Amino acid sequence: MSSRVVFFDPVHGLGLTVAAGSGRSWMDQPAGDPVHAHLHVDVEGPATVPEVRLRSDTGFVRWPELDRFAAALRRLAGAEQGSAELAADPGFSLTVLLRADGRLRAETTFGTGHHVQVNVVAGTRWDWHFGLRADLPDLADQLRAAVRDNRPGRLQP
């Protein structure tokens, strides 16, 4: 099971997929990884192949870090300008920037590929229609819901 949160345009924005994965070992944790969220970012592909979305390799971040990112997005809604960042291993980041005029931009960096790695740096445009300060509380709620819906039970001591 997974959930996808979109930053900001529903069609062309950056997508963040949150899942429990199969754990570090499917035999040890068949219900998913209770410690780390398994993340993928997808972005619009090159203009020559617009129907293709580039997808990151799996990024790993502790589940509480996603809640902290959601809280940072909610705080950003009340700020004049600023940013909120989520960093995951290996070499995966997602940043939301807020300008003084209330417009938002999402930026990501990630690598993809097994034998040959392609590094991707992408960002949404400062758009007139998508990505406004008023969108941040709902975005934070969507992220918290993704954690709630996908995080497996805690390990027993």
Side-chain angles (χ1 to χ4, degrees):
M1 184 170 161
S2 65
S3 300
R4 186 168 179 265
V5 179
V6 179
F7 299 75
F8 300 102
D9 181 320
V11 176
H12 304 289
L14 301 180
L16 175 66
T17 302
V18 177
S22 59
R24 295 287 189 233
S25 165
W26 64 270
M27 290 186 282
D28 295 337
Q29 300 172 335
D33 190 337
V35 177
H36 296 94
H38 295 214
L39 308 176
H40 289 98
V41 170
D42 61 87
V43 299
E44 191 171 33
T48 56
V49 193
E51 66 277 359
V52 173
R53 290 188 67 85
L54 300 174
R55 186 171 192 240
S56 71
D57 289 339
T58 304
F60 300 97
V61 66
R62 291 185 169 276
W63 286 104
E65 287 302 312
L66 284 175
D67 282 329
R68 283 195 256 304
F69 182 54
L73 291 174
R74 190 167 285 284
R75 281 191 306 276
L76 190 59
E80 178 68 26
Q81 57 189 17
S83 64
E85 183 174 1
L86 173 67
D89 290 326
F92 174 112
S93 71
L94 175 64
T95 304
V96 175
L97 305 164
L98 170 66
R99 285 194 323 203
D101 66 359
R103 301 217 191 301
L104 300 171
R105 174 179 164 90
E107 298 176 341
T108 187
T109 59
F110 63 84
T112 186
H114 184 64
H115 293 288
V116 175
Q117 179 162 332
V118 175
N119 293 317
V120 176
V121 177
T124 61
R125 298 188 185 275
W126 298 102
D127 198 308
W128 289 93
H129 305 289
F130 300 103
L132 301 173
R133 181 191 320 269
D135 299 333
L136 287 170
D138 185 51
L139 194 60
D141 291 345
Q142 289 177 48
L143 198 52
R144 282 204 168 100
V147 171
R148 182 186 62 242
D149 294 346
N150 292 285
R151 184 177 186 179
R154 297 186 188 278
L155 288 174
Q156 298 300 318

